[in-house]
Amino acid sequence: MPDNVVSPASRLDLPAIQALAAPEMAAMDALIRRRPLPIPAQGGLRLVVRPLKELAPDPEYLYLGRNFSRDLVTRLTRFERLEPSVSDEAASLTLEGTARKIGPRVAINVKLMNGRMAIWRGTYDGALNEQSRLQDEIVANVARTLNVKQRAK
């Protein structure tokens, strides 16, 4: 190439382009290596809480999974940066699982998904009247996994 002609590549600021493309590259790397996406250290974390699927539904507790999930959303709003909802198509984080009533007890299995990868799983068992304690345990583990702190009162 003659000395007086500047190639388009010489005008590119490669470090700036690499910095702009870093989040997309991390996402592609995570998909290729089957690792969860990195959780941002700043900004809001959109989390959708799906209704727990009821295994062997009991007619007396018809909405056990749905109500349990709605209560989780309410409890998760107490944490900084978390933006929980029951329906958010743009959320990259998902909390989902199953609920099963077994006699006077309830068994809950939940997992926290980041994209398509589980980043945390938990199994909980307690009496039907202990649902509040189970929800507190689940919320504490989700908050610990996402490294979020409770809002100041």
Side-chain angles (χ1 to χ4, degrees), residues 22-37:
E24 289 80 10
M25 295 302 291
M28 286 192 310
D29 182 56
L31 288 174
I32 291 169
R33 296 176 192 235
R34 303 290 299 161
R35 286 186 282 163
L37 297 169

Side-chain angles (χ1 to χ4, degrees), residues 51-68 99 101 128 131:
L52 298 179
K53 293 178 185 159
E54 296 179 40
L55 305 176
D58 183 327
E60 290 183 40
Y61 295 92
L62 204 51
Y63 300 104
L64 174 68
R66 181 176 294 153
N67 292 337
F68 195 93
K101 182 182 172 298
L128 279 169
Q131 288 183 49

Side-chain angles (χ1 to χ4, degrees), residues 44-48 50 83 85 87-94 115:
L45 297 173
R46 295 171 83 173
L47 169 66
V48 63
R50 303 230 185 271
E83 300 170 8
S85 72
S87 62
D88 185 349
E89 298 302 320
S92 62
L93 298 166
T94 305

